[in-house]
Amino acid sequence: MYTHRPQGRAAGRAALAALAALALAAQACSEETVAPAPGPTPPGIPYAGPGSLSAASGKGSFRLGAASAATQIEDRNPATDWYVFTLPEDEGGLGKGAAFVGDAARGYTKAIEDVALLREMGLDSYRFSVEWARIEPRRDAVDEDALAHYDRLLDALVEAGIRPVITLHHFSNPVWIDDPRHTDCAPGPTDENLCGFGHPEGGPLVIEELAEHAALLAERFGDRVDDWGTLNEPFNYLLAAYGAGTFPPGKATLFGDLLGDFVPVLRDYLLAHGAAYRAIKAADRGDADGDGEAADVGLSLSAADWVAARDHQPSDDPEDVGARDRMAYVYNHLVVDTVLGGQLDSDLDGAPDLELPGVAGTLDWLGVQYYFRAGVTGKLGGIVPVLALTPCVNGLDFGACLAPVDPTFCVPAMRYEHHAPGLYNVLTDLGERYPALPLVVTESGIATEVGARRAEVIVRALEQIERARALGVDVRGYYHWSLYDNFEWAEGFAPRFGLYTVDYGTYERSPTLGAEVLGEIARGRELTGALRAAHGGDRPMTPEATAPEGLERCLGN
Ligand code: FCB
């Protein structure tokens, strides 16, 4: 059943005006780094080399890498669902989201030269996704040129000594999987539209197709690739694509029949994970890292630091604590519980009840992705009735939104708070719940235009990882999100997550202070005391350079 964890500290709503004023004053010197921490220089944190993500031999190893996803970076691709979803209506698309994905960051044509960015920083691994819609733009029609493209990218990575980690499914589909223009799918599944996960006839076909795609990639790339991630942030993705409808295919079930409409989608998605896991294991024959396993297969989870809240204050009211625990359970735990145990809690009551054939034990490692801390309230029964809770997400405020621990922790572009110790909280929680499962931070980062803030987020994340490792939590690496600025899904191009900034006029990439700092750490295999003193700790961060209303965006206004 649900478990309770003590809450962290947070400033009260009453202090907000003062905090906002402080944030504004600090913005005057927004391009400067915060002053070094007073007191003695903290000790350096040395890193062993990269190792296996799943074998016992990989314990104690550590990867320093960067991550990206195909749709977010690659040049225009009319075969993806994001293309038709965001293409303006007068051009025949649905005009959804903040911007048309278009050429994203031209990461397809520049793929090989972009390897130099990883090399310059001395990173030892790159996590990226292969675009399914490029490989299979039409059902069962494989594009060999696209396979050859990723082949060349893999060769370039291997030659540079950079371990590839391939994500199979990162928030995008070929249009024919679930056409966002025809979500009612009236005629039933056809080759042009399989009707997507959760559809009674189409769901099983989609699962089969994803497994075939996985087998093809493992067969072609397995000699150079050991590390595979099947799914990226399953719960988050499904919430956006099938819950709120803000991602393609744009189906919104969250406020309707959650159990009847949303849970079948989740069931199919996790069945697809199991099928893909088995397909990769069967088809991958090369043991590139020599750990005795041809393929180390995991998935990446979005884990947030949920805090019980009421009326904009941290709360210890049992209703809110219960709501917080249910939120942590469905968001942070449900997917992993299901994949390890093979049974889904289909009525979300805290106990598994539905057998998912072929799913039990299909997880060699768990990717953890941490971006934010947020409040959850149980007051008034909640906007998610089945779970009787209301979280503070996307600026929607029904009393669950909390003031950031410090105003500089607000990430205005994303309307949430990035609180570094939240990473420690989720890692220790997951380490305790799944002690035998190796963890790796496959994403963490910040949307900011201030290089010093990115440097701070990197150094502080590594400090929090170290705290967790010191307790024995088996964390095997850190991948910064992202290698360079890109298409941030429904948010468009405004949030900038890159170690390298992208000039969207010329597509030139330029290093931020984040790239310099991560590079220094990776090349020296140490987070030095000097870097910690300059960027680490729990002091306020360098303020964001943008709008004064920034802080307000984290308060649900
Ligand atoms: C994660 C996604 C990734 C990126 C970051 C900012 O949820 O996995 O693609 O959008 O957020």
Side-chain angles (χ1 to χ4, degrees):
M1 289 298 265
Y2 311 115
T3 50
H4 168 62
R5 185 171 53 75
Q7 308 305 323
R9 176 184 77 84
R13 181 85 169 178
L16 282 186
L19 294 177
L22 272 178
L24 284 183
Q27 272 163 16
C29 56
S30 63
E31 279 307 322
E32 283 160 29
T33 310
V34 288
T41 305
I45 301 170
Y47 295 108
S52 167
L53 276 190
S54 61
S57 61
K59 182 138 202 213
S61 67
F62 202 78
R63 295 163 177 228
L64 291 159
S68 73
T71 310
Q72 293 180 276
I73 60 169
E74 292 185 353
D75 314 45
R76 78 186 44 218
N77 179 2
T80 64
D81 51 2
W82 278 93
Y83 188 95
V84 302
F85 193 71
T86 59
L87 183 71
E89 281 179 88
D90 57 8
E91 293 174 45
L94 296 171
K96 301 267 180 77
F100 172 43
V101 58
D103 278 327
R106 297 233 169 122
Y108 196 74
T109 46
K110 290 164 100 51
I112 305 298
E113 51 185 285
D114 285 338
V115 174
L117 308 178
L118 296 157
R119 202 165 353 138
E120 270 160 31
M121 289 184 283
L123 299 185
D124 56 61
S125 185
Y126 181 41
R127 171 178 177 264
F128 63 99
S129 72
V130 168
E131 187 71 87
W132 187 7
R134 274 188 203 278
I135 306 293
E136 206 176 341
R138 283 171 293 113
R139 189 178 185 196
D140 294 334
V142 170
D143 183 340
E144 286 293 335
D145 289 345
L147 282 169
H149 163 87
Y150 292 110
D151 242 324
R152 286 191 295 275
L153 171 58
L154 288 171
D155 285 344
L157 290 170
V158 170
E159 199 195 313
I162 298 166
R163 289 172 188 236
V165 177
I166 291 188
T167 312
L168 192 66
H169 196 262
H170 194 132
F171 290 5
S172 63
N173 283 315
V175 172
W176 54 268
I177 288 294
D178 198 352
D179 190 333
R181 296 164 300 195
H182 304 289
T183 45
D184 65 344
C185 217
T190 65
D191 282 349
E192 281 68 50
N193 185 7
L194 291 183
C195 308
F197 296 108
H199 187 276
E201 294 98 55
L205 301 176
V206 174
I207 294 166
E208 206 177 292
E209 290 291 345
L210 188 63
E212 274 175 25
H213 172 62
L216 175 68
L217 298 193
E219 212 174 278
R220 299 291 185 98
F221 303 149
D223 55 339
R224 284 148 296 162
V225 179
D226 264 356
D227 304 323
W228 302 86
T230 55
L231 310 178
N232 181 69
E233 301 188 347
F235 203 74
N236 228 12
Y237 165 63
L238 298 181
L239 272 183
Y242 292 85
T246 51
F247 286 12
K251 294 178 178 170
T253 61
L254 204 52
F255 305 111
D257 182 2
L258 183 78
L259 295 183
D261 293 332
F262 184 77
V263 169
V265 179
L266 178 62
R267 174 204 63 207
D268 282 0
Y269 203 46
L270 298 180
L271 283 167
H273 158 81
Y277 177 98
R278 285 176 285 114
I280 293 169
K281 291 279 187 182
D284 186 335
R285 275 173 280 277
D287 180 11
D289 67 1
D291 69 349
E293 278 290 332
D296 302 310
V297 188
L299 61 73
S300 290
L301 180 82
S302 168
D305 192 18
W306 300 107
V307 180
R310 174 161 299 218
D311 302 334
H312 309 107
Q313 303 283 351
S315 165
D316 53 13
D317 184 310
E319 256 180 24
D320 303 319
V321 172
R324 181 256 163 226
D325 289 346
R326 289 191 295 280
M327 189 69 198
Y329 167 68
V330 293
Y331 195 88
N332 294 10
H333 301 147
L334 181 63
V335 164
V336 186
D337 285 6
T338 310
V339 165
L340 290 178
Q343 288 190 322
L344 177 64
D345 170 10
S346 69
D347 54 6
L348 305 179
D349 69 350
D353 49 59
L354 178 72
E355 185 76 26
L356 299 189
V359 168
T362 54
L363 200 63
D364 302 337
W365 52 266
L366 177 63
V368 180
Q369 311 196 154
Y370 173 74
Y371 288 94
F372 65 92
R373 163 189 180 271
V376 187
T377 186
K379 197 179 175 185
L380 296 177
I383 60 167
V384 186
V386 173
L387 295 167
L389 57 79
T390 304
C392 172
V393 282
N394 262 335
L396 279 178
D397 184 23
F398 296 94
C401 295
L402 294 168
V405 170
D406 183 273
T408 60
F409 299 162
C410 173
V411 184
M414 299 302 285
R415 295 185 294 267
Y416 53 53
E417 177 194 5
H418 183 93
H419 184 228
L423 179 56
Y424 168 83
N425 291 343
V426 302
L427 289 173
T428 48
D429 174 65
L430 294 167
E432 207 174 289
R433 192 170 178 102
Y434 313 113
L437 196 57
L439 308 179
V440 51
V441 177
T442 42
E443 284 182 24
S444 197
I446 184 170
T448 181
E449 303 200 19
V450 179
R453 281 170 75 74
R454 185 166 312 288
E456 285 151 11
V457 157
I458 292 166
V459 169
R460 293 173 192 206
L462 289 170
E463 290 181 334
Q464 297 302 327
I465 290 171
E466 191 54 25
R467 279 178 72 202
R469 293 180 99 199
L471 291 182
V473 182
D474 184 5
V475 190
R476 301 188 180 189
Y478 167 78
Y479 292 74
H480 188 75
W481 181 271
S482 184
L483 179 55
Y484 45 80
D485 293 339
N486 56 53
F487 174 71
E488 178 47 31
W489 310 115
E491 307 290 331
F493 292 96
R496 287 180 177 264
F497 275 94
L499 288 161
Y500 285 74
T501 57
V502 171
D503 174 333
Y504 287 110
T506 61
Y507 294 93
E508 199 184 320
R509 284 86 161 109
S510 319
T512 64
L513 186 61
E516 285 169 32
V517 165
L518 185 58
E520 191 180 329
I521 298 165
R523 289 188 301 268
R525 304 271 343 148
E526 180 178 0
L527 169 56
T528 61
L531 284 175
R532 295 185 65 186
H535 307 291
D538 55 8
R539 295 164 291 153
M541 287 168 56
T542 304
E544 188 56 75
T546 52
E549 68 273 15
L551 177 60
E552 290 297 297
R553 286 175 62 82
C554 288
L555 300 172
N557 293 304

